[in-house]
Amino acid sequence: MIAWERNVVIKNQEEIEIMRDAGRINAKALQAVREAIRPGVTTGELDKIAETVIRDHGAVPAFLGYPGPTPYPATINSCVNEEMVHAIPGKRELKPGDLVSIDCGTVYNGFVADSAFSAGVEEVSPQVQTLMDVTKQALEIGISKMVSGNRVGDVSAAIQKYVESFGFHVPREYTGHGVGRSMHEGPQVPNWGLPGRGMVLRPGMTIAIEPMVLVGTYRTRIQPDQWTVSSFDGSLTAHWEHSVAVTKNGPLVLTNL
Ligand code: MG
Ligand code: MG
């Protein structure tokens, strides 16, 4: 492991393979949550499902105890509708038509995997479906730019351009990030920026790419619980994320099944 500039850590092949293992466990946890999403289920119940899968694989939830205004108390972030990131699971019951975004992290053999998806609860409106589709596709576009020799700004600008072509918005103050032994390493990878700017990507960099998309505004607000970040205007938001390695052979998604 080589320490690079600005807290960027280059991983060797063996370390990337451990991160792939962590990513697979994290993907299983997210899949179990996805299968449990239905009207009446509480976000707290979804949280227990994710925690059980992670611990059954000898891994540990990465978000649990994460430092913040108060140590983060759960395994997942469970965001509903206008909530964008960092919502704490609890007694809230999902309703038909809700848009839910689940973010989850796993630590396995000392390395972190970080991934998120959005899904509808039963039937959603065409607008919600479009929002989810655009956010997922923005992630795919960002991943496709994770090529050695590209710069961070190439990833950021591609995501921003695609999202804004639908009239949607990206937040300014929440970003993708390097991931490895720590959940947040360098470089930061915003969902907005200029092509050709920023750090050059090189093999061994592992980065969580995470488009967050808002319907009405790029502005956000933090709720009184000090954790939940919502759209400023109460409009809908979605969030997709994968941890991805830059390799000689192109981008390698670490958090697929
Ligand atoms: Mg995440
Ligand atoms: Mg992340």
Side-chain angles (χ1 to χ4, degrees), residues 54 157 181 245:
I54 290 168
R181 287 194 183 276

Side-chain angles (χ1 to χ4, degrees), residues 33-195:
V33 170
R34 180 192 278 273
E35 287 168 359
I37 289 175
R38 57 178 164 71
V41 74
T42 69
T43 54
E45 287 165 342
L46 298 179
D47 187 69
K48 285 293 156 245
I49 289 167
E51 180 174 8
T52 299
V53 172
I54 290 168
R55 293 198 189 280
D56 282 353
H57 286 81
V60 177
F63 296 0
L64 190 63
Y66 195 84
T70 53
Y72 191 75
T75 294
I76 63 171
N77 303 153
S78 53
C79 294
V80 183
N81 297 331
E82 79 284 359
E83 296 169 349
M84 186 180 78
V85 286
H86 305 166
I88 300 169
K91 292 187 177 133
R92 182 170 188 165
E93 288 184 9
L94 299 183
K95 298 197 302 290
D98 278 344
L99 189 180
V100 56
S101 299
I102 305 291
D103 194 344
C104 187
T106 292
V107 189
Y108 181 71
N109 274 354
F111 283 90
V112 178
D114 186 10
S115 182
F117 71 89
S118 290
V121 182
E122 293 190 332
E123 285 287 290
V124 294
S125 69
Q127 186 200 35
V128 170
Q129 190 61 52
T130 301
L131 173 63
M132 292 193 298
D133 292 345
V134 167
T135 309
K136 186 177 185 195
Q137 185 59 25
L139 172 60
E140 295 301 329
I141 289 168
I143 291 170
S144 75
K145 300 290 181 185
M146 287 278 290
V147 173
S148 181
N150 272 359
R151 290 178 180 267
V152 164
D154 296 318
V155 179
S156 301
I159 290 171
Q160 180 180 22
K161 185 177 172 203
Y162 181 74
V163 169
E164 292 184 348
S165 75
F166 289 85
F168 296 144
H169 306 271
V170 288
R172 298 302 189 262
E173 63 278 70
Y174 299 92
T175 72
H177 50 90
V179 58
R181 287 194 183 276
S182 302
M183 189 153 67
H184 295 109
E185 299 180 346
Q188 284 199 338
V189 181
N191 295 306
W192 57 281
L194 295 171

